[in-house]
Amino acid sequence: MAVNLPETPGGAPSEPAEPGEPAAGDAHYAQQVQQGPYAQQAQQGPYDQQAVYDPYAQQAQHSQRGGHDQQGPYDRPVAGDEPGARPGARGRAGGPRGRKARRSARRPRPWWVELPVMVVVGLAVALLIKTCLFQVFTIPSGSMENTLRVGDRVGVNKLAPLTGWTPQQGQPVVFKDPGNWLPPQPVDSNPVTNTVSSVLSFVGLVPPKDDNYLVKRVIATGGQTVQCAGTTLTVDGKKVDEPYLHPGDDSCAGMDFGPVKVPSGYIWVEGDHRSDSADSRWHRQGPGGGAVPVGNVVGPVSAVVWPVSHLDWFGWTGR
């Protein structure tokens, strides 16, 4: 059988090469490859281009050039790399001093520093609440039973007067003694406990130290006429319905008075336990004819906050 052999450029068929010896056609092809456009790629191989496959090559070239205009993926600036930095700054940033500074920044403050700061912040918040929001008062007597009982602690809304609230008929309010309604209060002879109680009272954590405040219910306001006869209480000639009265009491409790016109800027107050309350009825010979100046009013009683067994809510304005 005849076999056609590939011809060489000279027209003669190429002879098979001996073992270990390249054929004439192969030698010619190798010469073309060395001179062709792929010569550089053939010499280097597909993986000899370090700039593409070696991520550290660009960083090494950057360091050799000494330039700062280009950064490779691993060129993270550190102290001392930027132009104008003092020599040795990079070493110090990562040295023992740098590590010690970082540890010190993360170290929490000791408790003897944190505790006074927390106490001061707590007192400031309590003072803010007492001044502008709520203040707690203790009920010392049974004059408001059974609405408020002896020992109850009530929250008084001090924000209401700051927003234009004025006392209205039927609201329980706390007010400062207008003059000789309460006997003199005992003074603590222990200077330490006296000082502590004064501070706590000032910031509002305990009831006022002098305790010269009273709580009563508003019966009439400035310009109104109040009168009580028999068992009927009237304001401007209209009978007042009083479901809050202590069981067994009536509106007058055996004390008739009036008619009394309440001065402008004053309020007429009485206790819910009408037979056990030294209120406006008992002080008609005093300043204001028994009425209390509106300026003495701290605010409406909003809630009973202690004890838990007697928690109660009267609303933001005591209704």
Side-chain angles (χ1 to χ4, degrees), residues 210-234:
D210 50 9
D211 204 19
N212 59 342
Y213 291 86
L214 301 97
V215 56
K216 305 292 180 185
R217 191 178 297 273
V218 179
I219 301 300
T221 59
Q224 292 182 320
T225 301
V226 58
Q227 182 178 7
C228 202
T231 60
T232 303
L233 176 69
T234 60

Side-chain angles (χ1 to χ4, degrees), residues 7-270:
E7 294 184 358
T8 62
S14 58
E15 297 294 336
E18 295 294 333
E21 184 175 323
D26 294 341
H28 178 73
Y29 176 75
Q31 184 178 3
Q32 284 184 342
V33 169
Q34 293 177 1
Q35 296 177 357
Y38 301 96
Q40 185 175 0
Q41 182 177 359
Q43 291 175 4
Q44 294 181 352
Y47 296 96
D48 290 341
Q49 301 179 15
Q50 293 184 351
V52 176
Y53 296 97
D54 189 353
Y56 297 95
Q58 187 175 359
Q59 182 179 3
Q61 295 174 5
H62 170 72
S63 300
Q64 292 176 2
R65 289 196 305 268
H68 297 274
D69 54 338
Q70 298 179 356
Q71 291 186 348
Y74 296 92
D75 288 345
R76 297 180 180 178
V78 296
D81 279 352
E82 59 274 12
R86 293 183 299 174
R90 178 175 181 175
R92 287 196 297 271
R97 291 185 180 180
R99 290 192 295 270
K100 183 177 180 181
R102 289 193 295 271
R103 286 197 300 269
S104 299
R106 292 191 298 266
R107 185 177 303 166
R109 297 185 182 92
W111 66 269
W112 59 85
V113 175
E114 292 282 355
L115 184 59
V117 173
M118 293 175 62
V119 170
V120 171
V121 172
L123 292 177
V125 172
L127 180 61
L128 177 63
I129 293 175
K130 173 227 174 182
T131 303
C132 301
L133 299 178
F134 285 91
Q135 187 172 359
V136 176
F137 292 84
T138 301
I139 304 302
S141 70
S143 65
M144 283 293 290
E145 290 178 339
N146 280 338
T147 306
L148 304 174
R149 303 170 187 174
V150 177
D152 281 355
R153 295 199 175 189
V154 297
V156 176
N157 183 3
K158 298 188 72 173
L159 182 63
L162 300 178
T163 57
W165 169 87
T166 56
Q168 301 297 322
Q169 184 180 355
Q171 296 174 335
V173 296
V174 169
F175 57 94
K176 190 176 180 64
D177 186 350
N180 302 320
W181 282 36
L182 292 172
Q185 302 300 311
V187 179
D188 190 352
S189 58
N190 188 321
V192 176
T193 57
N194 185 41
T195 301
V196 172
S197 62
S198 297
V199 172
L200 296 180
S201 174
F202 174 74
V203 299
L205 295 180
V206 298
K209 183 176 179 297
D210 50 9
D211 204 19
N212 59 342
Y213 291 86
L214 301 97
V215 56
K216 305 292 180 185
R217 191 178 297 273
V218 179
I219 301 300
T221 59
Q224 292 182 320
T225 301
V226 58
Q227 182 178 7
C228 202
T231 60
T232 303
L233 176 69
T234 60
V235 174
D236 290 339
K238 297 180 180 179
K239 181 182 177 181
V240 179
D241 185 21
E242 299 187 284
Y244 41 74
L245 288 176
H246 186 275
D249 277 0
D250 57 53
S251 295
C252 298
M255 181 178 290
D256 294 354
F257 67 90
V260 176
K261 186 173 182 178
V262 182
S264 178
Y266 285 74
I267 55 176
W268 186 271
V269 296
E270 297 183 14

